Every structure is written in structure tokens, then in C-alpha cells.
Amino acid sequence: MNNSFDKYQKRRLRSSYLSVIISIALVLFLVGFLGVILLKTNTISKHFKEKVAITIFLNDNAKSNDVEILKGELKQAEYSKEVLYISKKEAAEKYAEEIGEDFVNFLGDNPLKNAIDVTLKSDFVTPEKMEAIEKQLLIRSIVAEVVYDKPLIELLTKNINRISFWMLLLSALFTLIAVVLINSSIRISIYSKRFTIKTMQMVGATKGFIRRPFIWNSIKLGIIGALVSIAALVGFIMYINKMVPEIELLADYKEFGILFLLIIIMGILITWLSTFFATQRFLNLRTDELYY
């Protein structure tokens, strides 16, 4: 009889542990998935920002030596990702190819100017920073005009800020949901052992001694749940990367390493805190209150 009861208790305990692990894994998978979206949002915004270029038109009387000096300084500038010199002849040939007509022969002269295209690093693609770069370049005597798409930059910055705000808000919401759901699973698991906790307390065991095995056990469950969620997340990422290779999900392994480490830390931290407060609650209850 006792042997059958022990087997029943073990099956019940394993079932309880399995439900906690599944709950933790599911919630951490959702949090990790949102983390992947956040990481790729930054990558995608960086990709679009680094397509932005400033075109510097040079005066016709600019000396070649002065132009070379300007090109060298631009290449060394902290905001430059790529610097490309385009002569007025190259610009005319490209424009004639686009419109399908040799406008230079028609006009009798090439009205275009020599120019330098500067592709900017993503951190400098904001209206304020680009305006400061423009003012800095216009001081030079060989620079006739500085051109870039101001409305596009303002719209790009506004939309990226808006998306970032909502993604951070969703991250905070998902983290809160993760804490509540994992805490609920842990509390249910501890609730089934409330009489054991009270019995240990009645025979003289300290609160710290009673809490310790529950906390360590919950931490193990948290780690297992986190590893399960990471395994599922890796499979999901590899599948999406195979289906849509253009987004380059696996371009940066370091970012994913940090994300996976944070998932494990979150699994440990939430289970530890949830177990601590759940056991503390039952330790503070009177014996007759355990039945409610």
C-alpha cells in the first residue's frame, strides 16, 4: 500500500515539475522571441540609415589639391562610412543613361558639378547631426552646395523612434507577464507542499533551512525551462533564416549569445524570487490557515 502511494506521489511530483518547466519555457520563449525582434529592429533601422548619403557639390574653380584634401578629411571623419568622388563627366554619363538622351550635346555644355557622396554611419543619421555636418561643410570655400533629403531623414527618424518606443513597451509588458505566469506556477507547486513546510517548521527547522531546498529545486527548474526555451528559439531562428535569408538573422552570434544568457538569468531570478516569497507566505501562516 505504501509502495503504491509512494509511486503515486512521485508521479504527481514529476507532473508538477513538468508543468512548471513547460510554463517557464513557454513564457521565456515568448520573451526571447520579442528580444530577437528588438535586435533585428535595430539591425534593420541601421541598414536603412546607412543607405543615407550627403552629396557635396564642388565649385567649378576648386583646385584638385584642395579636393583631395577634402576627400582625405571626409574619409577620416567620424561620421563617414564611405566616400565616393563623382566627376561632372561621370555624373553626365550616368544621367544621360537614365533619361536615354545625351543632354550635353543638346545643351552644348555640361551644367553638372563635380561632387562627393558621403554615406553616413547610422548614429549620425538624425536631422540635428546632419544639419551640423552640413554647416561644417559649407564653411569650406570649394563647397558650392550640400544636398540631402531632409524630409526623408525626419520621417525615418520619427518612425524609428516610434517603433522603438512600442517595442520597448511590449518588452516591458511581456516581462511582466513572464513574472506573473512563472510566479503563479511556482506558487501552485509550493502550495502542494504547504503541510510539509509547516511540519518542518513545527519540529524546529529555521525558515532559511526550510526555504533552501525549495529555492534550489526551483532554480534548477528555471534553468531547465530556460534551456528548453532557448532550444526552441534556436530552431525557430534557423527556420526563419532559411525561409527569409535576406534579413540575415544569424549575422551576429554575439547578440544571440547575450540574449540567451539573459533568458537563463531571467529564468533563475524569477524562480528564485517567486519561491522565496511563496515559501515565506506559508511559513507565516497559522496551521489552521493552511486549509484555506
Side-chain angles (χ1 to χ4, degrees):
M1 184 72 179
N2 288 334
N3 190 33
S4 299
F5 181 74
D6 289 341
K7 288 181 179 179
Y8 169 75
Q9 287 293 89
K10 287 179 181 179
R11 284 198 303 270
R12 186 178 177 185
L13 190 61
R14 283 195 295 267
S15 177
S16 174
Y17 289 161
L18 184 62
S19 65
V20 172
I21 290 171
I22 292 173
S23 298
I24 293 171
L26 285 173
V27 173
L28 291 181
F29 174 81
L30 291 175
V31 173
F33 175 70
L34 189 62
V36 171
I37 294 175
L38 275 172
L39 289 176
K40 298 320 293 181
T41 298
N42 291 333
T43 303
I44 293 169
S45 68
K46 183 178 179 181
H47 171 78
F48 281 109
K49 281 184 173 183
E50 292 188 345
K51 295 293 183 183
V52 173
I54 288 179
T55 301
I56 306 166
F57 291 106
L58 305 175
N59 289 318
D60 292 332
N61 60 356
K63 297 179 180 178
S64 58
N65 186 48
D66 292 334
V67 173
E68 289 301 320
I69 291 173
L70 177 59
K71 285 166 59 181
E73 290 179 358
L74 288 172
K75 288 178 181 179
Q76 296 297 321
E78 60 177 350
Y79 53 78
S80 298
K81 182 185 177 186
E82 186 179 356
V83 177
L84 178 64
Y85 177 77
I86 303 171
S87 67
K88 59 192 301 183
K89 182 180 178 182
E90 291 172 337
E93 290 173 353
K94 185 177 179 181
Y95 187 59
E97 185 179 342
E98 288 178 357
I99 65 174
E101 183 180 352
D102 190 351
F103 69 96
V104 175
N105 288 335
F106 177 76
L107 296 175
D109 187 25
N110 185 355
L112 303 179
K113 294 182 178 292
N114 297 322
I116 302 174
D117 280 346
V118 182
T119 304
L120 302 178
K121 293 178 181 176
S122 60
D123 292 340
F124 293 89
V125 182
T126 65
E128 297 78 16
K129 290 183 179 180
M130 292 187 72
E131 187 177 349
I133 294 170
E134 179 186 10
K135 290 179 180 178
Q136 182 183 346
L137 292 170
L138 286 173
I139 295 174
R140 297 178 175 271
S141 58
I142 64 170
V143 176
E145 188 181 7
V146 177
V147 176
Y148 63 92
D149 196 335
K150 293 183 180 180
L152 175 64
I153 301 303
E154 291 175 358
L155 183 63
L156 183 64
T157 303
K158 183 179 179 181
N159 286 339
I160 288 174
N161 290 337
R162 185 181 297 167
I163 291 169
S164 299
F165 170 76
W166 284 109
M167 291 305 297
L168 287 173
L169 191 64
L170 281 174
S171 299
L173 180 62
F174 267 79
T175 303
L176 179 62
I177 292 172
V179 172
V180 171
L181 290 179
I182 294 175
N183 179 65
S184 178
S185 297
I186 294 293
R187 283 175 66 87
I188 292 171
S189 176
I190 299 297
Y191 177 80
S192 63
K193 303 178 184 68
R194 64 194 186 282
F195 292 108
T196 303
I197 293 172
K198 184 54 66 175
T199 301
M200 292 174 68
Q201 190 177 22
M202 290 175 68
V203 297
T206 62
K207 291 183 178 181
F209 180 83
I210 296 171
R211 273 196 301 261
R212 195 174 299 119
F214 288 100
I215 289 175
W216 278 114
N217 190 57
S218 293
I219 288 175
K220 290 176 187 176
L221 296 179
I223 293 173
I224 294 171
L227 293 176
V228 170
S229 71
I230 289 171
L233 203 56
V234 168
F236 179 78
I237 291 169
M238 292 179 68
Y239 173 76
I240 295 298
N241 190 66
K242 184 178 179 180
M243 296 299 293
V244 193
E246 294 81 7
I247 61 177
E248 298 181 344
L249 271 178
L250 298 176
D252 194 339
Y253 291 101
K254 184 179 178 181
E255 287 184 345
F256 286 113
I258 295 171
L259 176 63
F260 295 156
L261 180 62
L262 289 174
I263 289 174
I264 293 173
I265 292 173
M266 183 178 291
I268 293 171
L269 189 62
I270 295 174
T271 51
W272 173 61
L273 290 173
S274 298
T275 305
F276 178 88
F277 288 112
T279 51
Q280 186 68 21
R281 177 176 177 270
F282 293 118
L283 285 168
N284 292 333
L285 290 177
R286 298 193 308 271
T287 304
D288 59 319
E289 291 176 327
L290 297 176
Y291 296 92
Y292 300 101

